[in-house]
Amino acid sequence: APATDADYDSGFATGAAVGYALTPNFGAELEFMYRTADLGSFDDPGLGTAGDYASAILTAHAIYTFDGWYTGAAGTCRPFIGIGLGVVEEVDFDLKGGTTPQEYEASGDLVWQVRAGADWAFAKDWSLTAEVRYLDMNTPDLKATSNGPDLKASYGTVDLMVGLAYRF
């Protein structure tokens, strides 16, 4: 089958995680994340002129948090790194316009993720986080939801994330 390239606009991600600090520097976390991005350009307008790629993924992470530095009354900042392995609850690729608009889906694929960022504790139990992540699902086999051929479409994201954490 011929290869086709697509580029996506900046997207949106939201999620939640629960974790446990095994030591002051090492923790484990289970996260559910939803990501979506609109199609920016597609080099085969016959197949589609608009669309999106979205995913719902459950990931387990191992996180190492470095000793931080005290920023005075403002709190403490601690950099961290992490690696995760997850399973795709659903990935959904939609094409609109063109001669054959179609929706494609897959689930059960494995993903891996690396992340690096910083945690800024601004109150006793509260902190803000900022991080960059790379997630890779490789090339899932996407099944057409109506008549039409299935396809393979690579799925990898670079995410800039901000978050709020509560520790109890």
Coordinates of all heavy atoms in Angstrom, one line a residue, residues 6-72:
A6 N 1.0 12.8 7.0 CA 0.1 13.8 7.6 C 0.8 14.5 8.7 O 1.7 14.0 9.4 CB -1.2 13.0 8.2
D7 N 0.4 15.8 8.9 CA 0.9 16.6 10.0 C -0.3 17.1 10.8 O -1.3 17.3 10.3 CB 1.7 17.8 9.5 CG 3.0 17.4 8.9 OD1 3.8 16.6 9.5 OD2 3.3 17.9 7.8
Y8 N -0.1 17.2 12.1 CA -1.2 17.6 13.0 C -0.9 18.9 13.7 O 0.3 19.2 14.0 CB -1.4 16.5 14.0 CG -1.9 15.2 13.3 CD1 -1.1 14.3 12.8 CD2 -3.3 15.1 13.2 CE1 -1.6 13.2 12.1 CE2 -3.8 14.0 12.6 CZ -3.0 13.1 12.0 OH -3.5 12.0 11.3
D9 N -1.9 19.6 14.0 CA -1.8 20.9 14.8 C -1.5 20.5 16.2 O -1.7 19.3 16.6 CB -3.1 21.6 14.7 CG -3.5 22.1 13.3 OD1 -2.5 22.3 12.5 OD2 -4.7 22.2 13.0
S10 N -1.1 21.5 17.0 CA -1.0 21.3 18.4 C -2.3 20.8 19.0 O -3.4 21.2 18.5 CB -0.6 22.6 19.1 OG 0.6 23.0 18.7
G11 N -2.3 19.9 19.9 CA -3.5 19.2 20.3 C -3.8 19.6 21.8 O -3.3 20.5 22.4
F12 N -4.6 18.7 22.4 CA -5.1 18.8 23.7 C -4.9 17.5 24.4 O -5.1 16.4 23.9 CB -6.6 19.2 23.7 CG -7.2 19.2 25.1 CD1 -6.9 20.3 26.0 CD2 -8.0 18.2 25.5 CE1 -7.5 20.3 27.2 CE2 -8.6 18.2 26.8 CZ -8.3 19.3 27.6
A13 N -4.5 17.5 25.7 CA -4.4 16.3 26.5 C -4.9 16.6 27.9 O -4.7 17.7 28.4 CB -2.9 15.9 26.6
T14 N -5.6 15.6 28.5 CA -6.0 15.7 29.9 C -5.9 14.3 30.5 O -6.0 13.3 29.8 CB -7.4 16.3 30.0 OG1 -7.8 16.5 31.3 CG2 -8.5 15.4 29.3
G15 N -5.8 14.3 31.8 CA -5.7 13.0 32.4 C -5.6 13.1 33.9 O -5.7 14.2 34.5
A16 N -5.4 12.0 34.6 CA -5.3 11.9 36.0 C -4.4 10.7 36.3 O -4.3 9.8 35.6 CB -6.6 11.7 36.7
A17 N -3.7 10.9 37.5 CA -2.8 9.8 37.9 C -2.8 9.6 39.4 O -3.1 10.6 40.1 CB -1.3 10.2 37.5
V18 N -2.6 8.4 39.9 CA -2.4 8.1 41.3 C -1.0 7.5 41.4 O -0.6 6.7 40.5 CB -3.5 7.3 41.9 CG1 -4.8 8.0 41.9 CG2 -3.6 5.9 41.2
G19 N -0.3 7.8 42.5 CA 1.0 7.2 42.6 C 1.4 7.0 44.1 O 0.6 7.3 45.0
Y20 N 2.5 6.4 44.3 CA 3.0 6.1 45.6 C 4.5 6.3 45.6 O 5.3 5.8 44.8 CB 2.7 4.6 46.0 CG 3.1 4.3 47.4 CD1 2.3 4.7 48.4 CD2 4.2 3.6 47.7 CE1 2.6 4.4 49.8 CE2 4.5 3.3 49.0 CZ 3.7 3.7 50.0 OH 4.1 3.4 51.3
A21 N 5.0 7.1 46.6 CA 6.4 7.3 46.8 C 7.0 6.2 47.6 O 6.7 6.0 48.8 CB 6.7 8.6 47.5
L22 N 7.8 5.3 46.9 CA 8.4 4.2 47.6 C 9.6 4.6 48.5 O 9.8 4.0 49.5 CB 8.9 3.2 46.5 CG 7.7 2.7 45.6 CD1 8.3 2.0 44.4 CD2 6.8 1.7 46.4
T23 N 10.3 5.6 48.0 CA 11.4 6.3 48.8 C 11.2 7.8 48.6 O 10.4 8.2 47.7 CB 12.8 5.8 48.3 OG1 13.1 6.4 47.0 CG2 12.9 4.3 48.2
P24 N 12.0 8.6 49.2 CA 11.9 10.0 49.0 C 12.2 10.4 47.5 O 11.8 11.5 47.0 CB 12.9 10.7 49.9 CG 13.0 9.7 51.1 CD 12.9 8.3 50.4
N25 N 13.0 9.5 46.8 CA 13.3 9.9 45.4 C 12.7 9.0 44.3 O 12.7 9.3 43.2 CB 14.9 9.8 45.2 CG 15.6 10.8 46.1 OD1 16.0 10.5 47.2 ND2 15.7 12.0 45.6
F26 N 12.1 7.9 44.7 CA 11.6 6.9 43.7 C 10.1 6.7 44.0 O 9.7 6.4 45.1 CB 12.4 5.6 43.7 CG 11.9 4.6 42.7 CD1 12.3 4.9 41.3 CD2 11.2 3.5 43.0 CE1 11.8 4.0 40.4 CE2 10.7 2.7 42.0 CZ 11.1 2.9 40.7
G27 N 9.3 6.7 42.9 CA 7.9 6.5 43.0 C 7.4 5.7 41.8 O 8.0 5.6 40.8
A28 N 6.1 5.2 42.0 CA 5.4 4.6 40.9 C 4.1 5.3 40.7 O 3.5 5.8 41.7 CB 5.2 3.1 41.2
E29 N 3.6 5.2 39.5 CA 2.3 6.0 39.2 C 1.5 5.2 38.1 O 2.1 4.6 37.2 CB 2.8 7.3 38.7 CG 1.7 8.2 38.1 CD 2.3 9.5 37.6 OE1 2.6 10.4 38.5 OE2 2.5 9.7 36.4
L30 N 0.2 5.3 38.3 CA -0.7 4.7 37.2 C -1.5 5.9 36.7 O -2.1 6.7 37.5 CB -1.6 3.7 37.9 CG -2.5 2.9 36.9 CD1 -1.7 2.2 35.9 CD2 -3.4 2.0 37.7
E31 N -1.5 6.1 35.4 CA -2.0 7.3 34.8 C -3.0 6.9 33.6 O -2.7 6.0 32.9 CB -0.9 8.1 34.2 CG -1.3 9.3 33.3 CD -0.2 9.9 32.7 OE1 0.3 9.4 31.6 OE2 0.3 11.0 33.2
F32 N -4.1 7.7 33.5 CA -5.0 7.6 32.4 C -4.9 8.9 31.7 O -5.0 10.0 32.3 CB -6.4 7.3 32.8 CG -7.4 7.3 31.6 CD1 -7.5 6.2 30.8 CD2 -8.1 8.4 31.3 CE1 -8.3 6.2 29.7 CE2 -8.9 8.4 30.2 CZ -9.0 7.3 29.4
M33 N -4.6 8.9 30.4 CA -4.5 10.2 29.6 C -5.3 10.1 28.3 O -5.2 9.0 27.6 CB -3.0 10.4 29.3 CG -2.7 11.7 28.6 SD -2.8 13.2 29.6 CE -1.6 12.9 30.8
Y34 N -6.0 11.2 28.0 CA -6.6 11.3 26.7 C -5.9 12.4 25.9 O -5.7 13.5 26.5 CB -8.1 11.7 26.9 CG -8.8 12.0 25.6 CD1 -9.3 11.0 24.8 CD2 -9.0 13.4 25.3 CE1 -9.9 11.3 23.6 CE2 -9.6 13.7 24.1 CZ -10.1 12.7 23.2 OH -10.7 13.0 22.1
R35 N -5.6 12.1 24.7 CA -4.9 13.1 23.8 C -5.7 13.2 22.5 O -6.2 12.2 22.0 CB -3.5 12.6 23.4 CG -2.5 12.6 24.6 CD -1.2 11.9 24.1 NE -0.2 12.0 25.1 CZ 0.0 11.1 26.1 NH1 -0.9 10.1 26.2 NH2 1.0 11.2 26.9
T36 N -5.7 14.4 21.9 CA -6.3 14.6 20.6 C -5.6 15.7 19.9 O -5.1 16.7 20.5 CB -7.9 14.9 20.7 OG1 -8.4 14.9 19.4 CG2 -8.1 16.1 21.4
A37 N -5.6 15.6 18.5 CA -5.0 16.7 17.7 C -5.7 16.7 16.4 O -6.0 15.6 15.8 CB -3.5 16.5 17.5
D38 N -6.0 17.9 15.8 CA -6.6 18.0 14.5 C -5.6 17.8 13.4 O -4.4 18.2 13.6 CB -7.3 19.3 14.4 CG -8.5 19.4 15.2 OD1 -9.2 18.4 15.5 OD2 -8.9 20.6 15.7
L39 N -6.0 17.3 12.3 CA -5.2 17.2 11.1 C -4.9 18.6 10.6 O -5.7 19.4 10.4 CB -6.0 16.4 10.0 CG -5.3 16.1 8.7 CD1 -4.0 15.2 9.0 CD2 -6.2 15.4 7.8
G40 N -3.6 18.8 10.4 CA -3.1 20.1 9.9 C -3.0 20.0 8.4 O -3.5 20.9 7.6
S41 N -2.3 19.0 7.9 CA -2.2 18.8 6.4 C -2.0 17.3 6.1 O -1.6 16.5 7.0 CB -0.9 19.6 5.9 OG 0.3 19.0 6.5
F42 N -2.5 17.0 5.0 CA -2.5 15.6 4.5 C -2.1 15.6 3.1 O -2.6 16.3 2.3 CB -3.9 15.0 4.7 CG -4.0 13.5 4.7 CD1 -3.3 12.8 5.5 CD2 -5.0 12.9 3.9 CE1 -3.4 11.4 5.5 CE2 -5.1 11.6 3.9 CZ -4.3 10.8 4.7
D43 N -1.1 14.7 2.7 CA -0.6 14.8 1.3 C -1.5 14.1 0.3 O -1.1 14.0 -0.9 CB 0.9 14.5 1.3 CG 1.1 13.0 1.5 OD1 0.2 12.2 1.8 OD2 2.3 12.6 1.4
D44 N -2.6 13.5 0.7 CA -3.5 12.9 -0.3 C -4.9 13.4 0.0 O -5.7 12.8 0.7 CB -3.4 11.4 -0.1 CG -4.2 10.7 -1.2 OD1 -5.0 11.3 -1.9 OD2 -4.0 9.4 -1.4
P45 N -5.3 14.6 -0.6 CA -6.6 15.1 -0.3 C -7.8 14.3 -0.8 O -8.9 14.4 -0.4 CB -6.6 16.5 -1.0 CG -5.4 16.4 -1.9 CD -4.5 15.4 -1.4
G46 N -7.5 13.3 -1.7 CA -8.5 12.4 -2.1 C -9.0 11.5 -1.0 O -10.1 11.1 -0.9
L47 N -8.1 11.2 0.0 CA -8.5 10.4 1.2 C -9.1 11.2 2.2 O -9.9 10.7 3.0 CB -7.2 9.7 1.7 CG -6.6 8.6 0.9 CD1 -5.4 8.1 1.5 CD2 -7.6 7.5 0.6
G48 N -8.8 12.5 2.4 CA -9.3 13.3 3.4 C -8.7 14.7 3.4 O -7.6 14.9 3.0
T49 N -9.5 15.7 3.8 CA -9.0 17.0 3.9 C -9.1 17.6 5.3 O -8.6 18.6 5.6 CB -9.8 17.9 3.0 OG1 -11.2 17.8 3.3 CG2 -9.6 17.6 1.5
A50 N -9.7 16.8 6.2 CA -9.8 17.2 7.6 C -9.9 15.9 8.4 O -10.1 14.9 7.9 CB -11.0 18.1 7.9
G51 N -9.7 16.1 9.8 CA -9.8 14.9 10.6 C -9.1 15.1 11.9 O -8.6 16.2 12.2
D52 N -8.9 14.0 12.6 CA -8.2 14.1 13.9 C -7.6 12.7 14.3 O -8.0 11.7 13.7 CB -9.0 14.6 15.0 CG -10.2 13.8 15.4 OD1 -10.1 12.6 15.5 OD2 -11.3 14.4 15.5
Y53 N -6.7 12.7 15.2 CA -6.1 11.5 15.8 C -6.3 11.6 17.3 O -5.9 12.6 17.8 CB -4.7 11.4 15.4 CG -4.1 10.0 15.1 CD1 -3.0 9.8 14.3 CD2 -4.7 8.9 15.7 CE1 -2.4 8.6 14.1 CE2 -4.2 7.6 15.4 CZ -3.0 7.5 14.6 OH -2.5 6.2 14.4
A54 N -6.9 10.7 17.9 CA -7.1 10.8 19.4 C -6.8 9.4 20.0 O -6.8 8.4 19.4 CB -8.5 11.1 19.7
S55 N -6.4 9.5 21.3 CA -6.1 8.2 22.0 C -6.5 8.3 23.5 O -6.6 9.4 24.1 CB -4.6 7.9 21.9 OG -3.9 8.9 22.6
A56 N -6.8 7.2 24.1 CA -7.0 7.0 25.5 C -6.1 5.9 25.9 O -6.2 4.8 25.4 CB -8.5 6.7 25.8
I57 N -5.2 6.2 26.9 CA -4.1 5.3 27.2 C -3.9 5.2 28.7 O -3.9 6.2 29.4 CB -2.8 5.8 26.6 CG1 -2.9 5.9 25.0 CG2 -1.6 4.9 27.0 CD1 -1.7 6.5 24.3
L58 N -3.7 4.0 29.2 CA -3.4 3.7 30.6 C -2.0 3.3 30.7 O -1.5 2.4 30.0 CB -4.3 2.5 31.1 CG -4.2 2.2 32.5 CD1 -4.7 3.4 33.4 CD2 -5.0 0.9 32.8
T59 N -1.2 4.0 31.5 CA 0.2 3.9 31.6 C 0.7 3.7 33.0 O 0.2 4.4 33.9 CB 1.0 5.1 30.9 OG1 0.4 5.3 29.6 CG2 2.5 4.8 30.8
A60 N 1.6 2.8 33.2 CA 2.3 2.7 34.5 C 3.7 3.3 34.4 O 4.4 3.0 33.4 CB 2.4 1.2 34.9
H61 N 4.1 4.2 35.3 CA 5.4 4.9 35.3 C 6.2 4.6 36.5 O 5.7 4.4 37.6 CB 5.1 6.4 35.2 CG 4.5 6.9 34.0 ND1 3.2 7.4 34.0 CD2 4.9 7.0 32.8 CE1 2.9 7.8 32.8 NE2 3.9 7.6 32.0
A62 N 7.5 4.6 36.3 CA 8.5 4.6 37.3 C 9.1 6.0 37.2 O 9.5 6.4 36.1 CB 9.6 3.5 37.1
I63 N 9.2 6.7 38.4 CA 9.6 8.1 38.4 C 10.7 8.3 39.4 O 10.6 7.9 40.6 CB 8.5 9.1 38.7 CG1 7.4 8.9 37.6 CG2 9.0 10.5 38.8 CD1 6.1 9.6 37.9
Y64 N 11.8 8.9 39.0 CA 12.9 9.2 39.9 C 12.9 10.8 40.0 O 13.0 11.5 39.0 CB 14.3 8.8 39.4 CG 15.4 9.1 40.3 CD1 15.6 8.2 41.4 CD2 16.1 10.2 40.2 CE1 16.6 8.5 42.4 CE2 17.1 10.5 41.1 CZ 17.3 9.7 42.2 OH 18.3 10.0 43.1
T65 N 12.8 11.2 41.3 CA 12.8 12.6 41.6 C 14.1 13.0 42.2 O 14.5 12.4 43.3 CB 11.6 13.0 42.5 OG1 10.4 12.6 41.9 CG2 11.6 14.5 42.8
F66 N 14.9 13.9 41.7 CA 16.1 14.3 42.2 C 15.9 15.2 43.4 O 14.9 15.8 43.6 CB 16.9 15.1 41.1 CG 17.3 14.3 39.9 CD1 16.4 14.3 38.9 CD2 18.4 13.5 39.9 CE1 16.7 13.5 37.7 CE2 18.7 12.8 38.8 CZ 17.8 12.7 37.7
D67 N 17.0 15.3 44.3 CA 16.9 16.2 45.4 C 16.8 17.6 44.8 O 17.5 17.9 43.8 CB 18.2 16.1 46.3 CG 18.2 14.7 47.0 OD1 17.2 14.1 47.2 OD2 19.3 14.3 47.3
G68 N 16.0 18.4 45.4 CA 15.7 19.7 44.8 C 16.4 20.8 45.5 O 17.4 20.6 46.3
W69 N 16.0 22.0 45.3 CA 16.5 23.2 45.9 C 15.4 24.0 46.5 O 14.3 24.1 45.9 CB 17.4 24.0 45.0 CG 16.7 24.5 43.7 CD1 16.0 25.6 43.6 CD2 16.6 23.8 42.5 NE1 15.5 25.7 42.3 CE2 15.8 24.6 41.6 CE3 17.0 22.5 42.0 CZ2 15.5 24.2 40.3 CZ3 16.7 22.2 40.7 CH2 16.0 23.0 39.9
Y70 N 15.7 24.5 47.7 CA 14.7 25.3 48.4 C 14.6 26.7 47.8 O 15.7 27.3 47.6 CB 15.1 25.4 49.9 CG 14.2 26.1 50.8 CD1 12.9 25.7 51.0 CD2 14.6 27.3 51.4 CE1 12.0 26.5 51.8 CE2 13.8 28.0 52.2 CZ 12.5 27.6 52.4 OH 11.6 28.3 53.2
T71 N 13.5 27.2 47.5 CA 13.3 28.5 46.9 C 12.7 29.5 47.9 O 12.0 30.4 47.5 CB 12.4 28.4 45.6 OG1 11.1 27.9 46.0 CG2 13.0 27.5 44.6
G72 N 13.1 29.3 49.1 CA 12.6 30.3 50.1 C 11.1 30.0 50.5 O 10.6 28.9 50.4

